[in-house]
């Protein structure tokens, strides 16, 4: 996997002569940046907020910003602290900074930066050595549960650990956990009062044994900086400029630490994209990103929307998905504009059952590899790790090498190994195993054996480790059902032999192969070809996503998956779980309006952020009639081709590019136009041309600002017809009567003259 930001697709700065001598020093750092990236790089004073869409080169922009400041003598390398969320991202940032001549800059994760400060200042702030950092908190939490006379199995332990971690990053104390969890809509794996009790006992055990955990590093650093102003001032004298990557993922605790590092200064640059917020279950929130301008009214805001990663077809699909999003993050979404040449359209495929979907995916992957796409540049992405098994098997059967990312191979998972031992024992003892009493066939035998390991007919509520475990066991049950259907006379011993063969095939070592990963694990990565599989209702969004915000986070997960693809994108789902099964499934609701045969997606443009720059302190437009937008060269919003035909310019797309026309709305607008024209004895095009009506029916404006920017809606027409058109778009009856002054203003006449 290669980083898009290293590609040669980034344009050179306009205006440079091909025969000019290469620049040196600070100016050289700016070479190859697009105008918005260049603005990020040169905005070195005051607060800066970079809203960066997927594939727009945000890491490139902020590393060049730091390097430019260092080369220009504005920033001292040792005074800059750049923080991000993973050690991999921090390492990549350090590598780029070294290449750009800014080797002395600190690029770390929040925890790494905090731990260094805590180790240095602990003897002075508290005395003695810093308490030992726990490698794993699980054993101590298990002991805390036992002291509370509560028994946690392996998966409950993981889930309770996750709840304690969430509590700490949201600065929730044990006594407040039940109320805080209820307010946040969290589905606790145990009774909330029990979790609060385990949490309190765990904290006491740590104190008794002189240990701290990962979250304590942040909490204690915050405590030291709050209580010891002398230490806080020393840190602030060391670090005077801060850059925060993936700012949409900060937790309340990380934001508090950042505020203490800053003090009363505003030398801060943050980078993020609210549409890629997919970790809210860990305490991450995009609110700090979305509130940045409110906290810093004079901030410079730069929007990066030039997508250098994906083709226009992939970008169009990603934009279409978010056009139906709701909620605060959706109100600040970015409309990406591909900078690549057009390529193949995304492929939507419906399969009869899961094995057919996996086999079809494996065949298409094999064809891509035969066509020259490296296996390492192909990924299969799914919602939960338990979905991987059928794809592991299909790829193994097709002799396609693969690697799992962020999870164990299916047959290496603890619950699957445990189940294998149980099944092997039951097969050995046969009729002497009491678990098999009453089992009528092979699948019922397997269900009986696995019930002893935690499998039930119904999945547990919510997500987390318990649900992951159940899904793995349910996959084994499905394997047994499919095996019995294919071999009606098969015994439990035959099934165990089949599972052993599958495990052996899937354990073959691979050096380079197709990546299998969950959508969460794919964040920050990219491939030439991406297969998004299992896109059914109940899986994406998951069953447990009940609130509007939970559903919207599931939508953002799919958006992240789509924007991982550079050239080839395939989306698929299956109607039944197994061959011959009932076709009770349906494609994910998120695909409505995007895949063929489901109508057109209504484009929501309220709050839409296009590329550009807002200088600090710039005021919003005055209330009243919207100002007419400044016109730049028009480009097709589907394929990004420059438009010259007046009709195409009104539609903002090529005639032959996919349309998002709401046909029913278009017909209502035509009927209304006929009435208006008849009442004034004017030709219909003097009201609005066909192309303008089509543009309105594609955009479906919901506010005056959205209608005013549609080509063909001039000032006079907006004043005359705006209320009627907005009412029709909202499904209401227009209130204005036919007639009135239809005299055209200069801008209206110019627009109507070229297209009737």
């Amino acid at each position: 996997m290669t980083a898009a930001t290293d590609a040669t697709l980034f344009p050179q700065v306009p205006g440079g002569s091909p025969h000019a001598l290469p620049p040196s020093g600070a100016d050289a750092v700016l070479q190859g940046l697009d105008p918005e990236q260049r603005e990020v790089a040169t905005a070195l004073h005051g607060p800066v907020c970079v809203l960066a869409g997927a594939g727009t080169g945000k890491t490139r922009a902020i590393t060049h910003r730091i390097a430019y400041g260092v080369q220009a003598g504005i920033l001292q390398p040792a005074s800059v602290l750049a923080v991000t969320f993973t050690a991999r991202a921090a390492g990549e940032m350090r590598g780029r900074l070294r290449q750009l001549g800014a080797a002395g800059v600190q690029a770390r994760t929040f925890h790494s930066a905090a731990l260094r400060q805590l180790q240095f200042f602990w003897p002075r702030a508290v005395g003695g050595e810093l308490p030992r950092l726990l490698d794993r908190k699980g054993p101590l939490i298990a002991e805390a549960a036992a002291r509370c006379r509560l028994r946690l199995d392996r998966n409950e332990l993981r889930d309770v650990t996750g709840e304690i971690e969430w509590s700490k990053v949201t600065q929730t104390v044990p006594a407040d956990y039940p109320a805080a969890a209820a307010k946040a809509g969290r589905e606790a794996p145990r009774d909330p009062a029990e979790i609060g009790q385990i949490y309190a006992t765990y904290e006491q055990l740590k104190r008794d044994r002189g240990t701290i955990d990962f979250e304590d590093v942040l909490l204690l650093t915050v405590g030291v900086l709050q209580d010891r102003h002398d230490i806080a001032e020393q840190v602030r004298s060391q670090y005077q400029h801060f850059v925060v990557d993936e700012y949409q993922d900060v937790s309340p605790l990380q934001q508090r630490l950042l505020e203490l590092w800053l003090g009363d200064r505003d030398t801060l640059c943050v980078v993020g994209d609210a549409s890629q917020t997919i970790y809210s279950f860990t305490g991450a929130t995009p609110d700090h990103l979305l509130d940045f301008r409110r906290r810093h009214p004079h901030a410079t805001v730069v929007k990066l929307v030039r997508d250098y990663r994906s083709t226009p077809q992939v970008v169009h699909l990603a934009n279409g998905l978010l056009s139906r999003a709701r909620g605060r993050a959706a109100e600040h979404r970015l409309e990406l504009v591909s900078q690549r040449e057009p390529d193949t359209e995304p492929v939507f495929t419906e399969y009869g059952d899961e094995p057919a979907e996996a086999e079809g995916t494996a065949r298409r992957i094999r064809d891509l590899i035969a066509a020259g796409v490296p296996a390492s540049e192909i990924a299969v992405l799914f919602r939960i790790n338990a979905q991987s098994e059928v794809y592991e098997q299909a790829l193994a059967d097709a002799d396609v090498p693969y690697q799992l990312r962020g999870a164990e191979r299916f047959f290496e998972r603890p619950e699957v190994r445990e189940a294998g031992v149980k099944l092997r024992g039951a097969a050995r003892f046969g009729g002497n195993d009491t678990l098999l009493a009453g089992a009528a066939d092979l699948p019922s035998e397997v269900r009986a054996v696995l019930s002893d390991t935690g499998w039930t007919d119904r999945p547990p509520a919510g997500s987390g480790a318990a649900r992951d475990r159940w899904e793995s066991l349910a996959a084994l049950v499905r394997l047994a059902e499919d095996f019995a259907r294919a071999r009606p006379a098969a015994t439990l011993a035959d099934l165990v032999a089949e599972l052993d063969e599958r495990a052996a095939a899937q354990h073959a070592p691979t050096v380079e192969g197709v990546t299998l990963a969950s959508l969460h694990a794919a964040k920050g990565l990219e491939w030439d070809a991406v297969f998004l599989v299992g896109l059914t209702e109940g899986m994406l969004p998951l069953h447990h996503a009940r609130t509007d915000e939970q559903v919207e986070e599931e939508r953002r997960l799919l958006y992240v998956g789509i924007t991982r693809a550079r050239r080839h994108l395939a989306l698929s789902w299956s109607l039944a779980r197994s061959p011959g099964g009932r076709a009770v499934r349906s494609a994910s609701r998120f695909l409505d309006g995007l895949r063929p045969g489901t109508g057109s997606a209504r484009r929501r443009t309220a709050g839409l952020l296009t590329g550009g720059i807002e200088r600090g302190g710039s005021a919003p437009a005055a209330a009243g009639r919207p100002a007419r937008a400044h016109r730049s060269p028009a480009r097709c919003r589907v394929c990004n081709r420059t438009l010259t035909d007046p009709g195409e310019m009104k539609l903002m797309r090529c005639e032959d590019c996919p349309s998002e026309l709401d046909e029913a709305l278009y017909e209502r607008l035509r009927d209304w136009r006929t009435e208006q024209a008849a009442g004034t004895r004017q030709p219909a095009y003097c009201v609005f041309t066909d192309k303008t009506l089509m543009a309105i029916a594609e955009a479906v404006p919901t506010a005056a600002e959205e209608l005013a920017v549609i080509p063909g809606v001039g000032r006079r027409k907006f004043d005359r017809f705006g209320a009627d058109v907005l009412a029709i778009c909202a499904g209401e009856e227009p209130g204005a009567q036919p007639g009135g002054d239809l005299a055209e203003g200069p801008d209206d006449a110019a627009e109507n003259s070229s297209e009737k």
Side-chain angles (χ1 to χ4, degrees):
M1 291 162 287
T2 58
T5 47
D6 288 333
T8 57
L9 290 167
F10 284 102
Q12 297 299 309
V13 175
S17 167
H19 305 293
L21 293 174
S24 59
D27 288 339
V29 175
L30 301 179
Q31 287 297 294
L33 301 182
D34 68 32
E36 291 79 27
Q37 292 170 343
R38 190 184 183 100
E39 180 66 23
V40 173
T42 55
L44 296 172
H45 301 286
V48 178
C49 179
V50 183
L51 302 176
T56 57
K58 65 180 179 64
T59 305
R60 179 184 179 91
I62 58 177
T63 52
H64 281 246
R65 177 184 189 271
I66 295 170
Y68 177 75
V70 170
Q71 295 286 356
I74 300 171
L75 303 179
Q76 295 301 313
S79 72
V80 180
L81 178 59
V83 288
T84 187
F85 284 81
T86 66
R88 179 183 63 82
E92 179 187 357
M93 193 177 292
R94 286 194 297 271
R96 294 196 188 195
L97 289 170
R98 280 196 298 270
Q99 293 174 357
L100 293 169
V105 172
Q106 292 293 312
R108 297 183 174 276
T109 64
F110 270 101
H111 286 87
S112 173
L115 181 59
R116 289 191 77 212
Q117 293 175 20
L118 199 59
Q119 289 171 329
F120 183 81
F121 290 112
W122 187 266
R124 174 173 149 195
V126 180
E129 293 186 0
L130 180 70
R132 179 175 61 86
L133 182 62
L134 287 171
D135 293 329
R136 295 182 301 125
K137 57 173 69 76
L140 204 58
I141 292 176
E143 182 179 340
R147 293 202 176 194
C148 297
R149 299 187 177 181
L150 298 170
R151 184 178 179 278
L152 303 178
D153 63 30
R154 181 189 299 111
N155 296 283
E156 286 180 319
L157 177 59
R158 282 174 53 193
D159 289 341
V160 169
T161 299
E163 291 303 294
I164 291 175
E165 291 172 349
W166 171 82
S167 299
K168 299 183 80 166
V169 301
T170 56
Q171 303 176 82
T172 301
V173 298
D176 294 341
Y177 170 78
K183 183 178 180 181
R186 297 184 72 83
E187 294 193 28
R190 296 286 295 251
D191 180 88
E194 292 179 345
I195 294 178
Q197 186 182 7
I198 295 170
Y199 178 14
T201 306
Y202 166 68
E203 292 298 312
Q204 185 60 53
L205 284 173
K206 285 196 288 113
R207 286 191 292 270
D208 293 344
R209 298 178 186 182
T211 59
I212 59 175
D213 62 24
F214 207 47
E215 290 70 41
D216 289 331
V217 171
L218 298 183
L219 284 164
L220 290 171
T221 306
V222 165
V224 168
L225 296 179
Q226 285 181 159
D227 296 342
R228 293 292 299 269
H229 297 292
D230 57 328
I231 293 176
E233 287 305 315
Q234 186 172 344
V235 171
R236 291 167 192 159
S237 66
Q238 169 69 49
Y239 296 116
Q240 299 169 19
H241 303 272
F242 297 86
V243 177
V244 184
D245 194 11
E246 303 288 3
Y247 193 54
Q248 77 278 354
D249 289 333
V250 296
S251 68
L253 180 56
Q254 289 165 331
Q255 176 64 21
R256 180 61 187 140
L257 178 58
L258 178 61
E259 291 168 354
L260 288 166
W261 282 339
L262 276 166
D264 58 1
R265 299 167 300 177
D266 61 2
T267 49
L268 171 66
C269 174
V270 301
V271 189
D273 179 9
S275 296
Q276 297 188 68
T277 305
I278 59 172
Y279 297 109
S280 63
F281 61 91
T282 67
T285 171
D287 289 346
H288 306 299
L289 175 67
L290 300 179
D291 290 338
F292 191 85
R293 189 66 180 272
R294 181 179 57 79
R295 296 196 313 274
H296 303 281
H298 298 287
T300 296
V301 179
V302 185
K303 298 148 194 168
L304 305 183
V305 298
R306 302 175 197 245
D307 188 321
Y308 298 97
R309 174 188 300 161
S310 305
T311 64
Q313 290 84 352
V314 172
V315 166
H316 178 62
L317 186 66
N319 287 337
L321 175 68
L322 286 191
S323 72
R324 288 192 161 195
R326 297 293 185 270
R328 193 170 182 223
E331 292 170 358
H332 295 79
R333 69 183 181 90
L334 295 160
E335 181 96 347
L336 300 178
V337 181
S338 175
Q339 305 299 298
R340 298 191 61 151
E341 291 297 318
D343 209 306
T344 57
E345 291 286 343
V347 177
F348 296 83
T349 309
E350 182 177 275
Y351 292 93
D353 52 69
E354 280 184 16
E357 183 179 4
E359 291 165 9
T361 300
R363 281 196 303 272
R364 294 198 60 208
I365 289 173
R366 192 171 53 193
D367 291 343
L368 282 174
I369 293 173
V373 179
S376 61
E377 287 293 351
I378 303 173
V380 179
L381 306 182
F382 33 75
R383 177 60 181 87
I384 61 174
N385 288 323
Q387 292 174 272
S388 75
E389 190 280 331
V390 67
Y391 293 93
E392 293 179 53
Q393 184 63 46
L395 291 172
D397 290 345
D399 293 325
V400 174
Y402 69 88
Q403 54 186 337
L404 263 76
R405 183 178 182 87
E408 305 100 335
R409 293 173 184 265
F410 180 79
F411 287 102
E412 292 177 352
R413 295 171 191 165
E415 61 269 23
V416 176
R417 285 185 170 183
E418 179 186 354
V421 172
K422 294 275 188 181
L423 291 170
R424 197 169 287 106
R428 185 179 302 115
F429 290 106
N432 296 324
D433 194 324
T434 57
L435 282 173
L436 302 183
D441 53 20
L442 176 58
S444 59
E445 288 179 336
V446 172
R447 286 192 287 268
V449 173
L450 297 188
S451 66
D452 196 41
T453 66
W455 182 84
T456 58
D457 288 331
R458 297 178 63 84
S463 58
R467 179 63 182 253
D468 290 345
R469 175 185 176 87
W470 184 90
E471 292 285 0
S472 294
L473 297 177
L476 286 175
V477 172
R478 293 195 293 270
L479 275 173
E481 293 169 347
D482 295 342
F483 187 65
R485 191 177 294 110
R487 295 176 54 184
T491 66
L492 194 57
D494 294 329
L495 175 65
V496 169
E498 171 72 10
L499 295 178
D500 288 342
E501 287 182 15
R502 287 176 176 246
Q506 294 181 23
H507 285 174
T510 58
V511 177
E512 179 185 275
V514 172
T515 299
L516 297 179
S518 70
L519 289 167
H520 280 104
K523 178 74 166 64
L525 304 175
E526 59 188 79
W527 297 268
D528 277 348
V530 169
F531 291 79
L532 301 175
V533 299
L535 302 180
T536 61
E537 279 293 303
M539 188 55 70
L540 193 72
L542 279 177
H543 285 297
H544 77 268
R546 298 188 179 93
T547 68
D548 290 345
E549 181 47 44
Q550 288 170 340
V551 170
E552 287 306 315
E553 182 142 341
E554 296 284 300
R555 187 193 305 274
R556 293 193 294 268
L557 260 180
L558 180 56
Y559 175 77
V560 167
I562 290 173
T563 55
R564 300 310 94 194
R566 297 195 193 102
R567 296 178 54 212
H568 306 284
L569 178 63
L571 305 93
S572 63
W573 60 95
S574 55
L575 300 178
R577 177 179 55 76
S578 56
R582 293 178 57 200
V584 296
R585 293 175 169 177
S586 61
S588 168
R589 72 188 76 169
F590 299 145
L591 302 183
D592 291 348
L594 301 179
R595 62 190 177 100
T598 59
S600 298
R602 284 198 171 199
R603 297 175 61 81
R604 295 179 66 252
T605 55
L608 184 65
L609 300 183
T610 56
I613 301 151
E614 295 176 15
R615 304 292 182 185
S618 58
R625 186 180 66 212
R628 192 168 184 84
H630 172 71
R631 292 185 178 177
S632 55
R635 288 183 175 272
C636 174
R637 52 186 161 78
V638 180
C639 70
N640 202 40
R641 183 177 67 82
T642 300
L643 302 176
T644 56
D645 178 76
E648 291 185 338
M649 292 172 67
K650 287 190 176 183
L651 294 176
M652 291 306 294
R653 64 170 174 81
C654 305
E655 284 279 7
D656 54 354
C657 278
S659 169
E660 298 169 335
L661 180 71
D662 185 328
E663 294 184 4
L665 174 59
Y666 178 61
E667 290 304 320
R668 289 197 302 274
L669 289 168
R670 283 174 59 90
D671 292 343
W672 165 83
R673 182 184 65 174
T674 299
E675 294 177 5
Q676 295 293 326
T680 59
R681 301 179 185 274
Q682 296 275 354
Y685 70 80
C686 289
V687 181
F688 284 121
T689 66
D690 286 347
K691 285 295 194 302
T692 298
L693 291 187
M694 290 178 68
I696 294 171
E698 290 189 358
V700 193
T702 60
E705 293 81 1
E706 300 171 28
L707 177 60
V709 298
I710 293 176
V713 181
R715 289 193 298 271
R716 299 179 68 86
K717 289 186 178 181
F718 176 85
D719 291 341
R720 177 66 185 87
F721 300 123
D724 277 12
V725 172
L726 289 173
I728 295 170
C729 289
E732 302 167 357
E733 289 298 321
Q737 296 299 318
D741 180 16
L742 282 183
E744 296 175 337
D747 53 344
D748 300 323
E751 286 167 356
N752 285 333
S753 64
S754 59
E755 180 265 316
K756 299 291 192 277

